[in-house]
């Protein structure tokens, strides 16, 4: 018994479809060249020296006290931040799904809190923490009269990262909680369990894999975070910043490559555990859709403390964000609160504001449709078609999620500054706009692909089969059926890619050349110099742009989206 | 209406799947040999997992056979992709394109064939009239009832004038009453279009009502091919007898064989006259297939029995009786003026040699 004939026939059928074959070949080439190759070159460079293969470079970096401290720092920050984020996320999710909220205000606040980190550049919170609690902080200096408070270091990073990452946990856990069948908990209540007992014996065990999942996703994000430790870390260096300094400060490219390999190994390990152990588990335990609406908790002794706690955290987060535009409007933060437009003016007159917005905007605008299209094509191939290299395509495009921006940046430097394998081939793209666009694409591809895959899984396979059966080739099926049906996902993928690109920094900061001005790089530069007025002015305009594009997307989805014909009439 | 009716032939076709749990390969379809004449309406009938849908999907091209060759209109089509095959499928879930209206759904295949606009409009209107959906061209698919969606799916398949029309359990999502109406409709339209049709179902009454020929499948193997009359009255084995309609199985031995094809079997110690026993010789074990409606309950007859269940069902009286250790179901239609036996009564099961089929 052998399945050779069907395999042979399937291969022939695939080859009869030149567009499909070309697409697959191009995709594999792209993924190999811009994701696998930069990672491979890091390995090669750090293991192979001029005198043949050796562990010399690794020995050297592990002898540096700064590097070993950075590892400890990164792991302890990551560990505590992910625990805190998962817990705060669980609190928010639980309150939203289980507790009857008395005001619409609170649910509105929740929505804002979950969206803010998405539309804002990654290090805005660091700026606000410095401005609120730092030496010249409004809270510390003016309200409390403390003149020497230092926010730099471990606690600064911890607070900022927790506030940045908990909304992601919140949204992940909210989905899981909604899928718990209320009758499970009602059965426990019915048998005499108290609410607390129900939570600890039913809800929590069901959520454990999901919590673990949220924990690891945050862990990866925290370890990979570059901008926050850069701005608020002070002398508390993490792996991402150490690698950056190793390249830009010490010009030690081999050392940086070896460090990048170490960082990559840590995130990869977590990614593999997360993807292949916990993700499967967390969905397997909660497959059933909730059969009917949950009886919300109205008991005041439960709702009051929970909502107040959530409300305080949410208000705190909102205040942190609101602080940014004010930082750009006050004459001198912490000393002179007269309103002024001088920072905004200076952005454009003295600090290449126009060029920065133009470059960031145009590059992101080119990258985002390419990313969205690419991720939809990958999702279509992964979900709807079967061919031999499908697993490779899926794995590599998801792998990019586990690659910290800094690692990718170093990989691109090592991989392309001297051409491919230092032969000079493709050297031309190094330092060009193309490489920045490619980095934008690679950085946003996993998110887009993931949302595309889940959108496509919702669509009955036979709809595409029917079009295929009517005589359409793969390309026509994709164009006339698949794409129109996942238009919503495509549009949101487009905007997500745009927002992620325009707010990206970690990989980009290593690759950008003086001819390009990017907003995030400018903000980082001014924040490091302590010119918070300018940094805030840049950040404010950036938030306006990203928030505007999200609003535009929602409008577009409302008007051209698919919901109107997928809803039952 | 079809340009050309095409026949379908499967020669030694097998399909191997891997069990996702045990990782073992198994035959989803094993050595299927089927010959369908042009213009014929054929049903693939069997319980779920018997391989009937796999056969249909192999004909459509969505699956590739592991052994054997499929012919469409005499041409081998194994290497053709679904879009190059002259087939059109009506899906279980209808699979209408939700972002198109009815007209565009039906016109989809014609547009792919680059037909001029006026001709497309003409054809779409004609086919919508045939399926009884005139004037609905501008509706979106979610504004239609299940039955109407099914008609659109049928129209969309018919309009491209395929050599063969494939149906994958098209009525299983409709309610019982509508199912009966739609199956008559499908038969009418198939006859009007004069098109070859292959229809997959697990509903034996659908198969009986629709088909010129029924292909009964069991665990990936073609068990019997025949017209409804043959598979009902002359099933090849107990599986077919049990799957199509209801059957009583009376087990015994052949004790006498006359020169022709008649003889006597002994069931529960009683002699029973049987016919059509060429395949048996004296002393062989045999099974008598007796349909519940072919048996009668009477004061005298072939097999003595005791009534264990007697229920009035309106159009029939439902009996269960014990003949020795064998349970026999008997259906007595229009019982108004018949004698009614009660539980505990002694009676006889009565039938003639032509009422039973001997396995």
């Amino acid at each position: 018994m052998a399945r050779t004939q069907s395999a042979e026939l399937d291969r022939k059928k695939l080859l009869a479809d030149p567009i499909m074959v070309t697409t697959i070949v191009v995709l594999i080439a792209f993924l190999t060249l811009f994701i696998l190759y930069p990672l491979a070159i890091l390995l090669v460079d750090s293991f192979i020296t001029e005198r043949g293969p050796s562990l010399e470079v690794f020995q050297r970096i592990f002898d540096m006290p700064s590097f070993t401290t950075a590892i400890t720092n990164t792991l302890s920050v990551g560990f505590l931040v992910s625990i805190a984020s998962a817990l705060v996320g669980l609190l928010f999710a639980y309150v939203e799904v289980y507790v009857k909220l008395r005001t619409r205000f609170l649910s509105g606040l929740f929505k804002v809190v979950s969206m803010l980190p998405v539309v804002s550049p990654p290090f805005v919170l660091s700026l606000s923490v410095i401005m609120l609690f730092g030496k010249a902080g409004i809270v510390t200096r003016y309200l409390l009269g403390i003149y020497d408070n230092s926010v730099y270091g471990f606690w600064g990073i911890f607070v900022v990262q927790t506030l940045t990452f908990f909304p992601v946990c919140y949204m992940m856990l909210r989905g899981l909680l909604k899928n718990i069948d209320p009758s499970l908990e009602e059965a426990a209540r019915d048998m005499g369990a108290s609410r607390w007992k129900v939570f600890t014996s039913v809800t929590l065990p069901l959520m454990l894999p999901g919590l673990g999942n949220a924990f690891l996703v945050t862990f990866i994000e925290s370890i990979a975070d570059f901008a926050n430790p850069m701005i608020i870390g002070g002398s508390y260096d993490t792996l991402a910043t150490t690698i950056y300094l190793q390249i830009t400060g010490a010009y030690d490219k081999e050392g940086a490559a070896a460090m990048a390999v170490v960082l990559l190994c840590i995130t990869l390990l977590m990614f593999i555990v997360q993807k292949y152990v916990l993700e499967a588990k967390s969905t397997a335990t909660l497959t059933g859709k909730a059969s009917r609406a949950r009886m919300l908790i109205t008991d005041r002794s439960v709702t009051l403390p929970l909502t107040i706690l959530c409300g305080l955290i949410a208000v705190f987060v909102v205040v942190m964000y609101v602080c940014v535009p004010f930082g750009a409007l006050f004459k001198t933060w912490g000393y002179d609160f007269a309103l002024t437009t001088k920072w905004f003016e200076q952005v454009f007159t003295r600090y290449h504001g126009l060029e920065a917005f133009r470059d960031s905007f145009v590059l992101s605008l080119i990258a985002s449709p390419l990313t969205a299209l690419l991720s939809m094509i990958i999702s279509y191939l992964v979900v709807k078609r079967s061919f031999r290299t499908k697993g490779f395509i899926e794995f590599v495009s998801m792998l990019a999620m586990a690659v910290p921006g800094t690692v990718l940046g170093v990989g691109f430097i090592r991989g392309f500054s001297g051409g491919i394998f230092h032969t000079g081939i493709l050297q031309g793209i190094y330092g060009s706009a193309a490489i920045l666009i490619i980095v934008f694409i690679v950085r946003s591809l996993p998110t887009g692909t993931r949302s595309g895959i889940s959108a496509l899984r919702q669509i009955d396979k036979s709809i595409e089969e029917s079009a295929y059966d009517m005589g359409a080739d793969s390309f026509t099926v994709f164009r006339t059926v698949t794409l129109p049906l996942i238009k919503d996902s495509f549009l949101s993928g487009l905007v997500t890619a745009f927002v992620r690109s325009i707010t990206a920094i970690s990989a980009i900061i290593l690759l950008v050349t003086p001819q390009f001005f990017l907003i995030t790089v400018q903000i980082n530069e001014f924040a490091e110099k302590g010119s918070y007025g300018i940094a805030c002015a840049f950040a404010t305009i950036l938030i306006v742009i990203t928030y505007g594009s999200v609003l535009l997307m929602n409008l577009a989805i409302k008007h051209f989206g698919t919901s109107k014909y997928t809803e039952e009439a | 209406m079809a340009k050309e009716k095409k026949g379908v032939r499967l020669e030694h076709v097998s399909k191997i799947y891997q069990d996702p749990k045990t990782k073992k390969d198994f035959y989803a379809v094993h050595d299927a040999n089927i010959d369908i004449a042009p213009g014929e309406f054929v049903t693939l009938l069997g319980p779920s997992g018997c391989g009937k849908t796999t056969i249909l999907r192999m004909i459509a091209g969505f699956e590739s056979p592991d052994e054997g060759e499929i012919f469409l209109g005499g041409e081998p089509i194994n290497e053709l992709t679904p879009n190059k095959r002259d087939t059109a499928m009506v899906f279980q879930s209808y699979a209408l394109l939700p972002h198109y209206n009815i007209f565009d759904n039906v016109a989809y295949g014609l547009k792919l064939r680059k037909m001029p606009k006026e001709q497309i409009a003409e054809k779409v209107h004609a086919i919508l009239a045939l399926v009884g959906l005139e004037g609905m061209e501008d509706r979106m698919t979610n504004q239609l009832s299940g039955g109407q969606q099914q008609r659109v799916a049928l129209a969309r398949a018919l309009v491209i004038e395929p050599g063969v029309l494939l149906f994958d359990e098209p009525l299983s999502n409709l309610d019982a009453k509508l199912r009966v109406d739609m199956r008559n409709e499908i038969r009418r339209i198939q006859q009007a279009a004069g098109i070859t049709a292959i229809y997959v179902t697990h509903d034996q009454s659908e198969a009986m009502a629709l088909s010129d020929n029924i292909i009964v499948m069991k665990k990936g193997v073609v068990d019997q091919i025949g017209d409804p009359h043959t598979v009902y009255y002359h099933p090849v084995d107990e599986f077919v007898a049990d799957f199509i309609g209801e059957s009583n199985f009376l087990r015994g031995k052949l004790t006498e064989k006359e020169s022709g094809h008649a003889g006597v079997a002994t069931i529960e110690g009683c002699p029973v006259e049987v016919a059509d026993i060429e395949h048996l010789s004296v002393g062989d074990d045999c099974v008598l297939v007796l349909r519940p409606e072919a048996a009668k309950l009477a004061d005298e007859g072939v097999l003595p029995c005791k009534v264990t269940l007697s229920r009035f069902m309106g159009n029939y009286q439902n009996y269960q009786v014990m003949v020795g250790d064998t349970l026999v179901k008997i259906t007595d239609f229009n019982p108004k003026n018949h004698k009614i036996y009660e539980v505990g009564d002694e009676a006889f099961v009565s039938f003639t040699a032509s009422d039973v089929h001997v396995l």
Side-chain angles (χ1 to χ4, degrees), chain A residues 472-498:
Chain A
D473 55 39
S474 299
F475 179 64
T476 313
V477 171
F478 182 74
R479 199 171 46 80
T480 61
V481 182
T482 316
L483 215 45
L485 286 181
I486 53 167
K487 209 160 34 178
D488 286 8
S489 176
F490 179 78
L491 280 174
S492 76
L494 193 72
V495 174
T496 314
F498 177 76

Side-chain angles (χ1 to χ4, degrees), chain B residues 29-75:
Chain B
V29 173
H30 195 199
D31 197 25
N33 290 289
I34 297 171
D35 200 347
I36 298 164
E40 201 180 345
F41 198 120
V42 168
T43 308
L44 287 159
L45 175 68
S48 59
C50 71
K52 55 191 190 299
T53 298
T54 307
I55 287 188
L56 198 75
R57 291 176 61 83
M58 283 195 283
I59 297 171
F62 296 124
E63 311 280 350
S64 303
D66 282 296
E67 290 160 17
E69 180 75 54
I70 300 174
F71 298 86
L72 178 63
E75 307 286 330

Side-chain angles (χ1 to χ4, degrees), chain B residues 94 96 102 131-133 136 139 141 143-154 174 178 182:
Chain B
Y94 319 136
L96 300 179
I102 305 309
V131 300
L133 288 176
M136 306 266 240
R139 299 268 185 98
T141 55
Q143 295 172 306
L144 301 185
S145 69
Q148 288 170 326
Q149 291 188 40
Q150 192 58 76
R151 285 163 201 261
V152 177
L154 184 55
L174 300 178
L178 198 55
M182 273 307 292

Side-chain angles (χ1 to χ4, degrees), chain A residues 150-387:
Chain A
S150 171
V151 287
Y152 300 97
F154 173 81
W155 287 105
I157 303 179
F158 172 78
V159 169
V160 165
Q161 285 196 343
T162 306
L163 292 180
T164 311
F165 298 135
F166 91 83
V168 180
C169 298
Y170 156 53
M171 286 192 282
M172 280 172 72
L173 297 173
R174 180 179 61 181
L176 288 178
L177 279 176
K178 278 189 176 157
N179 273 339
I180 294 183
D181 188 343
S183 46
L184 292 178
E185 288 146 337
E186 282 168 15
R189 278 292 265 175
D190 189 48
M191 282 183 280
S194 68
R195 236 184 243 298
W196 177 246
K197 184 81 194 158
V198 171
F199 180 76
T200 54
S201 65
V202 179
T203 317
L204 207 54
L206 283 174
M207 291 295 294
L208 268 186
L211 273 174
N213 202 11
F215 172 83
L216 281 181
V217 168
T218 315
F219 212 141
I220 296 174
E221 293 257 1
S222 162
I223 290 176
D225 186 18
F226 165 77
N228 287 314
M230 196 68 200
I231 293 178
I232 208 170
S235 59
Y236 195 85
D237 278 324
T238 62
L239 277 173
T241 54
T242 309
I243 294 169
Y244 172 74
L245 294 172
Q246 200 67 20
I247 281 213
T248 55
Y251 299 103
D252 172 15
K253 290 184 175 174
E254 284 81 19
M259 291 177 180
V261 169
V262 174
L263 177 55
L264 181 64
C265 286
I266 299 174
T267 51
L268 265 188
L269 183 73
M270 290 180 182
F271 171 73
I272 286 166
V273 174
Q274 185 258 330
K275 180 122 188 75
Y276 296 98
V277 183
L278 286 169
E279 203 173 69
K281 251 192 195 161
S282 67
T283 45
T285 47
L286 301 166
T287 44
K289 260 235 150 44
S291 51
R292 87 207 119 76
R294 191 183 301 280
M295 291 285 291
L296 295 177
I297 302 173
T298 51
D299 187 352
R300 268 177 173 268
S301 65
V302 180
T303 61
L304 223 52
L306 287 183
T307 44
I308 287 176
L309 191 55
C310 279
L312 283 178
I313 297 175
V315 167
F316 184 62
V317 171
V318 171
V319 167
M320 301 271 275
Y321 281 98
V322 168
C323 173
V324 173
F326 281 106
L329 287 172
F330 290 155
K331 210 160 183 182
T332 315
W333 183 266
Y335 297 95
D336 185 350
F337 296 114
L339 295 182
T340 172
T341 55
K342 74 167 180 182
W343 302 122
F344 284 105
E345 282 161 23
Q346 282 190 6
V347 160
F348 291 103
T349 52
R350 290 191 22 205
Y351 299 110
H352 306 286
L354 214 56
E355 287 94 328
F357 285 106
R358 189 198 56 206
D359 289 351
S360 276
F361 199 80
V362 169
L363 291 178
S364 308
L365 211 59
I366 298 172
S368 49
L370 291 173
T371 313
L373 195 65
L374 209 56
S375 46
M376 291 306 135
I377 293 173
I378 293 176
S379 326
Y380 169 74
L381 293 176
V382 165
V383 178
K384 304 287 177 178
R385 306 302 300 258
S386 57
F387 52 95

Side-chain angles (χ1 to χ4, degrees), chain B residues 41 147 155 175 280 354:
Chain B
F41 198 120
D175 61 57
L280 294 170
S354 69

